[in-house]
Structure formats: structure tokens, C-alpha cells
Amino acid sequence: MNTLLLAGIIASGLLMLFSPRAGLVAALAIFITLLTLSVRNTPYWHWLWLPWALTLLWSLKPLRRLVLIPPALYLVRRLLPPISDTERDAIAAGSVWFEADLFSGRPDWDKLLAIPQPQLALEEQAFLDGPTEELCEMLDDWVITHELRDLPPRVWEFIRGQGFLGMIIPKEFGGLGFSAQAHSAVVGKIASRSVSAAVTVMVPNSLGPGELLLHYGTEEQKKHYLPRLASGQEIPCFALTGPEAGSDAGAIPDSGIVCRGMHEGREVLGIKLTWEKRYITLGPVATLLGLAFRLHDPEHLLGSVEDVGITLALIPTHHPGVHIGRRHFPGNQAFMNGPNHGNDVFIPLTWIIGGREYAGRGWMMLMNCLAAGRAISLPALGTTSAKTAARYSGEYARVRKQFKLPIGKLEGVEEVLARIGSHAYTLEAARRMTCVALDMGEKPAVVSAIMKHEATERMRMTLNAAMDIHGGKGICEGPKNYLASAYQAIPVGITVEGANILTRSLIIFGQGAMRCHPFLLREIEAAGLQDRAKSVEDFDDAFTAHVSHIMKNAALSLLHGLTFSRFAASPSTATAHWYRKLARLSASLALTADAALALLGGELKRRESLSGRFADCLAELYLSSAVLKRWEDEGRPAEDLALVDYSLALSTQRIEEQLAGILANFPNALVGGLLRILVFPLGRRHAAPKDKTGHAVASLMLKPSASFDRLSPGIFISSNRADATGALEYAFQMVSDTKAIEGKLRDARKAGLLLGETPEAGVQAGIISAAEAQLLHDTAAAVREVIMVDDFSNEELSGKGVATVQHHAA
């Protein structure tokens, strides 16, 4: 009897935490039992009234709000860190999308599968097939990066004339008005030919004057500048970073003082600016400078606030006092980039983007634009690098032989190929799905940070791996090298638009925890209310729901761990087991994140190692969801299942590894131990991809097929055999076409019917025809052209033999 009653009280308490109403029903039943025992004078049961009273106290809303919620509210206020204005703008920026489901612990897979499939409008596809293809054919990256250190004049003219600089500008202002999907596809295709050209095109279409004007410009500013930007008459740049403020862009020292001054012959209200900026892409050739600075109003000419805040302005670069510096040369890339500065430069107040109304609102403007823009350009660049690495590495590993075997058939190379293929497949899946979200009107700030970080990190992984496979071919620079330029550009992508170290450790989880958590932001907002009664009421609603949320995730994490996720919700598909595994890991992530937030509060943002591990978990959940969605969108091709299995195995293993790292370093060992039981009740279960799966992925990368082409959609495929990649494509096809001929000779040698090694010996033995022998010779010549590397004289390398280098390249 005593054991049953105690169990009933515990069950009542747990039920209460799940749902106060249900807990109240259980508490009433136990009350009747306790009352009966008390009336009968049953010994030793009076102490059980205390836990029952606490259970009842929690279940009754008026009592809970009177007794329990005020102390909890006080504690939360003590734990919360002070939030700066820039942090508040960053948290509020953009929208929340499917990543919130993944962070909740209970992802809705029907919602994922209901996301529309990616598609392009007819005019967008025509632009990709026409002007973009033509531009790619014009690009010679060796000439751009090593000889001209710039795009050729005819390329600049073509980019301006065809509207590449105005893809995001609506048609009503003379732009192309492209979707995010098309914008990403165009940048990606150009990047497969030249990073320098891709950056030149992507910057005017990313965070900068064009986008800021679209969202915040006055009508007069839009009508004046947008048509000029769309036509290429104006070349924009945006200056945010300076020597004293890089990743901490909110601390910019550049300043403007509101004052009166002369402009175009008359006195106007304006700003006297002093700034020093660097790393500004397109800065050396820009005609229009977007500038971020902190605005001060000491004479209160705008209002009562003296420190107005970060403000954005547009300044023609020919304006007196604007100094455009010399060029930087980042990562041996030839896109225009350099410093600029100004000292006491007077501009009229009307040059503020959005006019006087938007003075001091610059950080909000930047964060809102970055919430979407960061999800397009650099992810397109990183994804393309992975796709080209996958295609060219597979082709090279097939045509290049060592030990009388294509090197792609060596198990060590297979393992590397499989990882390259997996990253390429995963990034393309995530790129497409993210662009769909943008075209649906979402501005998923957390997803954009995930995409920027993961695309550029996997760019680094795939290009490093591709260089390993290519060996000497990859490290000898020259016109025949199709990897080195992108390889040198890796640190550029890693660094810009938020350095990856800080993006991972501060933004993805720091912002994700605030925005994606179903209750945390509501609790913080309630804690900040001045009206005490309203604060208690709102906090109670959010807090009780939060406690119930934690209990449900704890139960799900334990249940799925004990049952190997058998009972997790999943669509009816061949990949159902992966949906179930992701559901389990989602619940485990939500549970551990809540525990860390409860224990550390605001301190968690300074525990960057823990925060980074949480970020990895959320990122892998998002990328894995995109992989599953892509496989469905493409019609569930059976031949691509190996790619799906390999990619999901990598992701789930990484999530589990990072969760284990979180628990091993948890700030409270007791809580960490309890969480380990709930998260890993039967130990860690997710293993690395099987060798068999890796072999299947590598094998599909070594022969022409629809599956092979799906690894690198949208990149430029050269048919010019004088081009390094065109020569590789030709050799790859020739090797595939002569595989059967090679097989006949090999079988004849094994049977003792052929002693010689040459094709002519096969002809003489009647094994193959003369025409087939000629095909083998042509194939050998094509392969030799691919494996050869460039060489230079000392004069050429010293810069005295440029003409010879150009002749050699041709």
C-alpha cells in the first residue's frame, strides 16, 4: 500500500509537469486516499501531505502564480545577461522556419515534405542556358588571376550589359527580378568557372546598396539608383569592416556628426563623416559607396538622443573627400577588393538610406538583409566548389591509373571520393531547399548562418580531399590546373560575412536558441515587462509550457533510445529509418539544450565550445532533412540511396559525437550523468558509414550516368578539349567508351590468348579490330593530356615571359 501510494504521488507530479490539468485530476485522487488514511490514523503517512501539497500548488494556476512563479521569475531575471541593442536586433532579425521544428524535439516531417520543390521560371532557365553559359565560356581563370589580375574588359562589359549586376532588382527598375533559386544558380554556375568572376557578380546582388535600397530606400532613392545599378552604370560596394572592427562589426569606430554644412551651393542639414574601411569588395572600381558608421547628434538637431546609433548612407565615390585606396589581393583572387577612407567628409542628411527616418537603424537593416542574403551567395559558391570537386575528382580517379588500376578503385581513394560525393549531394540539397524558403518569403536567419558555415567548411573539406586525389596535378599551377584557384579561395569564403569560428560558436546556436526555442523568447520577453501582473501572467504561461516541453522531450529521448527509434514518427518510405533516427536526435538535442540553458543562462554564450557543439547538432539535423527532402523531390531514385545512406550516417554519427561531447563537458556532473541516461540509455548507437556504402558512392562517381550527373547539376561543363576541364570530360568519356575493348584484351591475356600489351598485338591476335585499336590510342592520348601539368621558364615565372605563358596556355 505504501509503495503504491508513493508511486502515485510521483506519477501525479510527473503528470503535473506534463500537463497541470491532468496532474490536478491525479492529485485529487491521491488527496482522497491520503484523507482516508489520515482519518483512520494510519501511522507514518502524514509526511506525504508535503509532496502532495506541492503537486497541488503547481496544478492550480492562481496558487502557482501567487507562490511559485514570482521566485522563478526573479531567478530568470538574475540568470539572463544584459542584451545590447545590436544583440536585440540580431535576435529579432529575419524569421523562423523548419529549423524550429528540429530544435523543438518533435519535427513535423509532413511539413518538411510539403515544402515546394525547387524550380526556375522559363526566363530564369533561359538566362542560365544563354548569357550565363556564354559568360562561362568567356572566362579563363588563369588569365584572370595570374596575368591580368582582373576580369578582361570584354567580360566586364558583358556582365554589365546582360544585367548580371541587377539580378535582385525588380523589373520595374530595369533589373532581372530573379528568384533566390535563380540568383543562387547563376552565381554557382559562374563559380564553377571562376571564383573571381562569381564574387564580382554576387556582391552587387548580396548585402549592399541594391538590397538595402529595395527594403529601406526612399522612393526618390530607389528611382534614382536602382535603374543605374541594374544597368551597371553604377558599380556598388558596401563598407562595413575596418581595422578596429571585424567580426565585432557593431563596435565600428567610424563616426558621423550631425551638423549644418554646404552642399551644392546651399546650407543644409547633414553629417560630417570620418571613416577608415578595408576588405571592401568592388571598392577599387565602385562608383557608389554604401557606408556604415555610428551617428552622433551632440547639438540635438535630430532629436533628444545624442548617440543616434549605427546608420547607413550612400555616397558617390567622386564626392569630395572620399579616398579609394589601392587594392588588396585576397587568396590570389582577382576580384576587386580594397580599402577606403574619409576625414570630415560632409554629406547631406538625404543620403542616409531610407532618409532621416532610418537614422540609427542601420544595424537592424543590416541584420534583416543578412538574414536572407547570407543564405544565397556564399552557400552557392561553397556548394559549387563541392560539386566541381566531386565531378572532377571522380573523372580524374577513373582516367588516372596506378598499379595498373584506375586510382578510384583503390579503397583508400574510394573512402575520400565517397566523402566528397556525400558533401556535394548534401550541400546541393540544402542549397535548393533554403532557396525555396527564401522564395516563399522566409528570412531564416539561423538557417542562413548554418548554410554559410557548412557550405564554406565543406568547400574546404572537399577541395582538400580533391587535392589529395589529384596529387601533383593539383599542386602545379598553370592553365591545366582546375583546382588550385578555388583551393586558394577557401579562406576567403571562410572569413567573410561572419568568420566561421564565430558563426558556429555564437550565431547558429546563440541566435538559434533564442529564435527556434518554442518558449525561451516568450519567457525573456515576459521577464522584461514592467507591468508586474502582466509579467507574472505571461511568464507563467510560457514557463509551464516550457516545463511540459522538457518532460516530453526527456520521455521521447529515453523511449527512442531504448527502442532504437522504432516508435518515432516517419513517412512511409525507404528512408523511414533515417527520419526516425533524426527524430530521436532532435529530442535529445532539445533536452540537453534546455538543461544547459537552465544551468548556465546567459553564461552559455561565453561557453563557446559547448555552444559550438550544439550548433553542429542543429546544422546536421537541417542538412540531413534537406538530403531526405531532395531524394523525395527527385523521385526516390534507387541508385542514389547509397548517397543518402552515406550522408545520413555521417550526420547522425556527428550529432551523436557532439552530444557526447556536450555531456562529457557539462557544467554540472550530476545533471550530465542523468542526461546521459536519458540520451544514451543503451550507449552510442550511430556508426560511421559502412565501407560497402562508401564503395557504392565511389563507384557511381567513376562512370557516366544520370546519378553521376545529379552530383554536379548546374555547373559549367566545357566541351572545348583545349580547356583543362573540357579535356578531362573528353578523356573520361573516352575511357568509358573503350571499357569493353579493354575488357576483351584483359580477358584474352588471362586466357593466354594474348601475350603482348599493345593494342596492335590485340589486332594481330584477332581479339580487337584496327578501329578499336585506334580508339585505344586516342583514349591514351586524351588521358595523357589530362595528367600532364604546366611548366615554365624562369623568365616566365619572373614576369618577363607573359607572352610565352599566354601562348603556352593556348
Side-chain angles (χ1 to χ4, degrees):
M1 178 66 181
N2 54 352
T3 304
L4 288 175
L5 189 57
L6 183 59
I9 292 177
I10 294 173
S12 175
L14 291 174
L15 193 60
M16 165 205 69
L17 293 175
F18 273 102
S19 170
R21 289 185 180 180
L24 181 60
V25 173
L28 288 174
I30 293 172
F31 168 76
I32 294 171
T33 305
L34 283 171
L35 189 61
T36 301
L37 292 171
S38 297
V39 168
R40 293 183 177 181
N41 263 338
T42 305
Y44 309 119
W45 288 106
H46 298 288
W47 67 271
L48 289 175
W49 283 100
L50 178 60
W52 175 84
L54 290 174
T55 301
L56 187 64
L57 193 62
W58 177 265
S59 300
L60 294 173
K61 184 185 291 186
L63 286 176
R64 184 176 68 242
R65 289 183 175 179
L66 181 66
V67 178
L68 297 181
I69 293 303
L73 186 56
Y74 173 78
L75 183 62
V76 167
R77 285 171 173 160
R78 289 287 303 273
L79 285 172
L80 285 177
I83 300 177
S84 67
D85 290 340
T86 54
E87 286 178 312
R88 189 173 290 106
D89 285 339
I91 291 169
S95 60
V96 180
W97 191 52
F98 187 70
E99 73 277 17
D101 278 65
L102 298 170
F103 198 85
S104 73
R106 295 179 292 280
D108 183 349
W109 300 124
D110 291 335
K111 179 179 176 181
L112 173 72
L113 297 179
I115 296 170
Q117 294 187 22
Q119 59 183 353
L120 297 175
L122 291 177
E123 60 182 338
E124 294 172 338
Q125 188 63 56
F127 190 85
L128 271 172
D129 297 338
T132 309
E133 187 82 5
E134 187 177 348
L135 174 60
C136 288
E137 290 172 352
M138 297 167 65
L139 298 173
D140 183 331
D141 201 54
W142 175 258
V143 171
I144 290 169
T145 57
H146 287 76
E147 296 177 11
L148 297 179
R149 305 289 199 270
D150 190 5
L151 302 182
R154 70 189 187 101
V155 170
W156 272 109
E157 183 180 349
F158 188 82
I159 286 173
R160 284 170 155 168
Q162 294 295 323
F164 282 92
L165 304 183
M167 286 190 289
I168 65 169
I169 296 175
K171 293 178 182 178
E172 63 185 283
F173 294 108
L176 298 177
F178 278 180
S179 65
Q181 198 74 239
H183 174 187
S184 173
V186 170
V187 170
K189 191 165 196 173
I190 299 170
S192 69
R193 194 66 172 157
S194 168
V195 171
S196 296
V199 171
T200 300
V201 167
M202 80 187 198
V203 166
N205 292 289
S206 186
L207 177 63
E211 187 173 14
L212 289 165
L213 283 169
L214 280 172
H215 293 289
Y216 303 107
T218 65
E219 286 304 311
E220 183 180 356
Q221 288 171 341
K222 291 178 182 179
K223 289 177 182 178
H224 177 75
Y225 280 119
L226 289 178
R228 298 163 68 90
L229 289 168
S231 67
Q233 184 179 350
E234 298 276 10
I235 302 294
C237 70
F238 187 78
L240 175 62
T241 304
E244 306 301 326
S247 296
D248 186 13
I252 53 176
D254 312 289
S255 64
I257 306 296
V258 179
C259 62
R260 294 191 176 277
M262 298 301 295
H263 178 68
E264 295 181 346
R266 61 190 182 92
E267 186 180 78
V268 298
L269 188 61
I271 305 166
K272 186 179 289 185
L273 286 167
T274 296
W275 77 91
E276 182 185 14
K277 302 291 188 180
R278 64 178 181 179
Y279 308 150
I280 310 307
T281 300
L282 294 188
V285 295
T287 61
L288 184 63
L289 171 67
L291 186 69
F293 58 93
R294 184 169 290 278
L295 184 62
H296 301 276
D297 185 15
E299 298 180 33
H300 303 288
L301 297 174
L302 298 181
S304 59
V305 179
E306 187 168 322
D307 184 3
V308 180
I310 294 174
T311 302
L312 312 180
L314 290 179
I315 307 172
T317 55
H318 61 73
H319 187 66
V322 176
H323 296 281
I324 301 297
R326 303 196 301 171
R327 288 179 62 183
H328 302 311
F329 198 53
N332 205 38
Q333 301 303 305
F335 60 85
M336 291 291 163
N337 185 279
N340 61 72
H341 69 276
N343 187 45
D344 290 342
V345 177
F346 182 79
I347 66 169
L349 209 63
T350 54
W351 286 9
I352 293 176
I353 298 176
R356 180 171 178 166
E357 179 186 347
Y358 280 91
R361 301 178 68 185
W363 193 248
M364 175 276 295
M365 296 157 69
L366 289 173
M367 290 299 99
N368 276 312
C369 288
L370 200 59
R374 188 160 47 189
I376 300 176
S377 297
L378 286 172
L381 182 62
T383 300
T384 288
S385 297
K387 292 189 294 188
T388 54
R391 186 177 189 91
Y392 299 152
S393 295
E395 291 176 337
Y396 187 79
R398 180 63 183 90
V399 306
R400 177 62 164 156
K401 288 186 176 182
Q402 294 285 275
F403 312 108
K404 297 184 178 181
L405 277 175
I407 62 172
K409 294 187 179 294
L410 302 173
E411 280 200 4
V413 176
E414 275 191 348
E415 183 179 359
V416 178
L417 275 176
R419 286 184 177 267
I420 295 174
S422 168
H423 289 319
Y425 187 86
T426 297
L427 286 180
E428 177 64 8
R431 183 197 68 81
R432 293 180 187 180
M433 190 170 86
T434 303
C435 287
V436 168
L438 298 175
D439 288 329
M440 291 168 59
E442 298 288 347
K443 292 185 177 181
V446 177
V447 165
S448 70
I450 289 173
M451 286 302 299
K452 189 273 171 180
H453 177 269
E454 291 296 321
T456 53
E457 284 296 329
R458 292 173 192 236
M459 173 186 181
R460 169 157 50 192
M461 295 175 194
T462 54
L463 287 173
N464 278 340
M467 293 291 276
D468 284 350
I469 290 172
H470 282 75
K473 173 73 175 177
I475 64 174
C476 291
E477 291 203 58
K480 294 181 183 295
N481 191 322
Y482 43 78
L483 286 178
S485 183
Y487 178 79
Q488 292 169 340
I490 291 171
V492 177
I494 295 289
T495 302
V496 299
E497 290 191 5
N500 275 11
I501 291 174
L502 296 183
T503 298
R504 173 180 177 263
S505 60
L506 292 179
I507 299 177
I508 294 176
F509 181 72
Q511 194 171 352
M514 290 285 197
R515 295 303 308 274
C516 299
H517 197 288
F519 306 108
L520 183 60
L521 193 57
R522 286 170 53 191
E523 289 168 332
I524 292 172
E525 289 172 347
L529 293 176
Q530 297 300 315
D531 184 331
R532 185 182 182 280
K534 179 66 173 171
S535 178
V536 168
E537 179 183 342
D538 289 357
F539 185 80
D540 175 59
D541 290 340
F543 185 66
T544 52
H546 191 167
V547 171
S548 174
H549 172 77
I550 292 172
M551 295 302 296
K552 289 174 183 176
N553 280 328
L556 285 174
S557 182
L558 180 60
L559 174 66
H560 294 333
L562 290 172
T563 61
F564 305 104
S565 309
R566 303 280 179 173
F567 301 105
S570 67
S572 179
T573 172
T575 56
H577 60 293
W578 289 120
Y579 287 95
R580 291 194 290 268
K581 289 180 178 181
L582 293 181
R584 175 201 169 184
L585 293 169
S586 172
S588 297
L589 169 63
L591 176 63
T592 52
D594 266 318
L597 288 164
L599 283 175
L600 293 172
E603 178 67 20
L604 183 56
K605 74 177 183 179
R606 287 179 285 275
R607 299 289 292 271
E608 294 176 20
S609 294
L610 278 180
S611 181
R613 293 186 183 99
F614 280 120
D616 292 342
C617 294
L618 184 58
E620 291 290 354
L621 284 169
Y622 180 76
L623 296 178
S624 297
S625 302
V627 167
L628 294 171
K629 177 70 167 63
R630 176 182 178 180
W631 189 72
E632 295 289 336
D633 286 348
E634 292 182 341
R636 302 181 176 180
E639 58 272 26
D640 290 1
L641 264 178
L643 277 163
V644 174
D645 289 340
Y646 194 98
S647 301
L648 268 292
L650 276 181
S651 284
T652 52
Q653 183 200 31
R654 189 181 183 209
I655 295 169
E656 193 172 73
E657 179 183 341
Q658 296 302 74
L659 284 172
I662 291 167
L663 297 179
N665 294 277
F666 214 72
N668 183 297
L670 181 62
V671 176
L674 176 60
L675 286 172
R676 188 177 300 278
I677 295 172
L678 295 172
V679 173
F680 300 125
L682 299 177
R684 293 168 61 177
R685 310 295 304 176
H686 296 98
K690 295 180 179 178
D691 292 346
K692 182 180 178 181
T693 309
H695 171 76
V697 172
S699 295
L700 70 82
M701 297 172 69
L702 298 176
K703 59 182 183 292
S705 68
S707 189
F708 175 69
D709 288 337
R710 280 194 293 271
L711 268 181
S712 54
I715 72 169
F716 176 74
I717 306 295
S718 176
S719 58
N720 179 6
R721 288 168 55 187
D723 176 82
T725 59
L728 178 60
E729 294 287 340
Y730 176 72
F732 180 62
Q733 190 61 54
M734 288 289 286
V735 168
S736 177
D737 291 345
T738 56
K739 180 181 178 182
I741 304 173
E742 289 274 14
K744 287 194 285 185
L745 293 176
R746 185 173 55 253
D747 292 343
R749 291 189 192 100
K750 286 182 180 179
L753 302 176
L754 179 63
L755 299 179
E757 294 289 331
T758 65
E760 284 71 22
V763 175
Q764 291 174 5
I767 307 298
I768 61 174
S769 68
E772 289 174 322
Q774 185 58 50
L775 270 176
L776 290 176
H777 282 300
D778 292 344
T779 299
V783 169
R784 180 170 173 79
E785 177 64 24
V786 167
I787 67 176
M788 295 301 290
V789 299
D790 297 286
D791 53 73
F792 305 89
S793 69
N794 286 331
E795 289 76 19
E796 289 169 336
L797 292 177
S798 66
K800 299 176 182 177
V802 174
T804 308
V805 174
Q806 290 176 332
H807 175 73
H808 179 83

